[in-house]
Amino acid sequence: MMRTRPLKVALLGCGVVGSEVTRIMTTHADDLTQRIGAPVELVGIAVRRPDRVREGVPAELITTDATALVKRDDIDVVVEVIGGIEPARSLITTAFEHGASVVSANKALLAQDGAALHAAAEQHGVDLYYEAAVAGAIPLVRPLRESLAGDKVNRVLGIVNGTTNFILDKMDSSGAGYSEALDEATALGYAEADPTADVEGFDAAAKAAILAGIAFHTRVKLDDVYREGMTEVTAADFASAKQMGCTIKLLAICERAADGRSVTARVHPAMIPLTHPLASVREAYNAVFIEADAAGQLMFYGPGAGGSPTASAVLGDLVAVCRNKVAEATGPGESAYTRLPVSTMGEVVTRYHISLDVADKPGVLAQVATVFAEHGVSIDTVRQQGKDGEASLVVVTHRAADAALSATVEALRKLDTVRGVASIMRVEGE
């Protein structure tokens, strides 16, 4: 039986994503009604700049008083797409206190304060949904929270930032340097005027924290995620990767330890084999690999950002939350029962590609190999090229702990025959 009283929605923010949410709610109102089982009505839109022209957005819905909007007792759902920590956090908790469920795209806030927000939602008997916070239109949160709820997820490995993937893809395909590829990304609108959040890995780290928490049923905060940007990746690194049959991607990697007693979450550039599906993810697309005991390997691929893709995820959450309102129920909340510790990066075990500048004379390779052996790091392959008294030495290791590799590199720097460490990069995806 169709409910006749409309569910009332308040929207916080009306930029690229908010405007698209408004458009879809207006043009697909009849379809949304049928899917939800009740009419849905947008009754207010809070913005900071009310005089800004917003095509297709009803002027009578615009307000600058976001607090008053979320305090309205007739609001059923608040959609938050303003981003940042404050005032988003205060507005969301106020919405909970007044009985409204919340749909958010705010990865930074959820990575920092997700546990407190989940607790507040549970306290007031409402929902907190955030599919759009992780990978735009790509469904990841709901499959992890619901579809794989009966399985054991062991690893989440993926490309979760379109800007960095575009830059690295251009460096790989055209031989461009980092600065040149960044300029192209900026000109095409993929990179912000200040790209720091993307290229230094902050954006991907927030998403990794959210994914790790859901996948492993434990609390992982942004501070728990090891983060390394991709600004130091060079054309020479790509040349080395190609010689190994690899390419380079900025990866978010969340893993459960082999003994099941801890988890890790990290973001950094890595070489991956060209045979791995993630190697073929081009331009500004995102893709995430999930490895689970029963399901095996699953891959989710698609546009990870942009107004329409992100709005699609927001509307998907809005439909789910509104259905729960009609049924007078709530969906799944936080699952953190495992309470697993988050290991440090020093405990992470992986392969490494190390490029050294060395003196071109007899005995250098033996000295380098001895240092690796003394620190318990096994060498897989070595490649040496020399000219005019100088040489480059490329060492690829077997799997080793990050702490052991770091100690090895520090010892190598002390050798008279080692002029410098040109690059160090992890090798993943095997």
Side-chain angles (χ1 to χ4, degrees), residues 47-54 62-64:
V47 300
R48 286 182 295 178
R49 296 185 291 274
D51 297 332
R52 181 178 175 184
V53 177
R54 297 174 174 86
I62 298 295
T63 178
T64 57

Side-chain angles (χ1 to χ4, degrees), residues 155 219 234 247 293 338 370 373 410 415:
R155 196 176 198 223
R219 288 178 178 171
T234 66
T247 188
D293 275 359
T338 63
T370 297
E410 287 305 308
L415 294 178

Side-chain angles (χ1 to χ4, degrees), residues 164-178 181 230 232-250 269-272 274 279 353 383 423 425:
T164 54
N165 198 59
F166 180 89
I167 293 170
L168 292 172
D169 182 46
K170 290 302 174 184
M171 292 177 69
D172 185 27
S173 61
S174 69
Y178 167 75
M230 41 77 71
E232 300 301 318
V233 176
T234 66
D237 292 326
F238 274 101
S240 293
K242 288 181 178 179
Q243 290 180 330
M244 289 179 58
C246 292
T247 188
I248 299 171
K249 299 290 186 182
L250 184 75
M271 294 182 179
I272 58 172
L274 294 175
H353 174 282
R383 186 174 71 254
S423 69
M425 190 164 295

Side-chain angles (χ1 to χ4, degrees), residues 143-422:
L144 282 170
R145 289 209 303 189
E146 300 177 25
S147 303
L148 295 173
D151 207 340
K152 179 184 178 184
V153 176
N154 296 308
R155 196 176 198 223
V156 179
L157 168 74
I159 299 163
V160 294
N161 183 277
T163 300
T164 54
N165 198 59
F166 180 89
I167 293 170
L168 292 172
D169 182 46
K170 290 302 174 184
M171 292 177 69
D172 185 27
S173 61
S174 69
Y178 167 75
S179 297
E180 183 181 350
L182 174 59
D183 289 342
E184 183 175 354
T186 304
L188 292 172
Y190 291 125
E192 301 286 346
D194 180 1
T196 302
D198 294 323
V199 300
E200 294 296 350
F202 291 101
D203 175 86
K207 295 171 180 177
I210 295 170
L211 288 172
I214 300 170
F216 307 132
H217 303 278
T218 197
R219 288 178 178 171
V220 179
K221 297 179 67 175
L222 182 58
D223 291 344
D224 295 323
V225 181
Y226 172 83
R227 177 193 56 78
E228 184 181 319
M230 41 77 71
T231 58
E232 300 301 318
V233 176
T234 66
D237 292 326
F238 274 101
S240 293
K242 288 181 178 179
Q243 290 180 330
M244 289 179 58
C246 292
T247 188
I248 299 171
K249 299 290 186 182
L250 184 75
L251 298 178
I253 306 170
C254 311
E255 293 179 305
R256 188 191 301 267
D259 61 8
R261 296 179 180 177
S262 64
V263 300
T264 59
R266 49 196 167 102
V267 169
H268 54 70
M271 294 182 179
I272 58 172
L274 294 175
T275 54
H276 194 283
L278 289 178
S280 62
V281 178
R282 308 297 299 275
E283 300 284 327
Y285 278 79
N286 286 187
V288 176
F289 235 72
I290 295 175
E291 299 175 11
D293 275 359
Q297 294 183 332
L298 307 172
M299 182 170 171
F300 298 81
Y301 169 85
S308 293
T310 305
S312 172
V314 169
L315 267 294
D317 278 351
L318 179 62
V319 169
V321 168
C322 286
R323 285 173 176 169
N324 292 341
K325 285 284 186 179
V326 171
E328 298 183 349
T330 55
E334 183 189 34
S335 175
Y337 71 92
T338 63
R339 296 182 175 85
L340 295 172
V342 182
S343 298
T344 64
M345 189 62 191
E347 300 171 78
V348 171
V349 176
T350 189
R351 296 180 68 202
Y352 291 86
H353 174 282
I354 304 103
S355 180
L356 304 172
D357 295 326
V358 299
D360 187 14
K361 62 182 183 180
V364 173
L365 180 56
Q367 285 184 321
V368 169
T370 297
V371 171
F372 275 89
E374 289 174 347
H375 290 84
V377 179
S378 176
I379 294 176
D380 182 15
T381 62
V382 178
R383 186 174 71 254
Q384 184 173 4
Q385 294 178 324
K387 184 178 180 181
D388 298 330
E390 297 295 329
S392 63
L393 192 65
V394 176
V395 178
V396 179
T397 74
H398 288 289
R399 291 174 63 83
D402 186 86
L405 193 283
S406 297
T408 302
V409 171
E410 287 305 308
L412 288 171
R413 294 182 194 275
K414 296 177 182 178
L415 294 178
D416 292 339
T417 52
V418 174
R419 310 297 192 215
V421 179

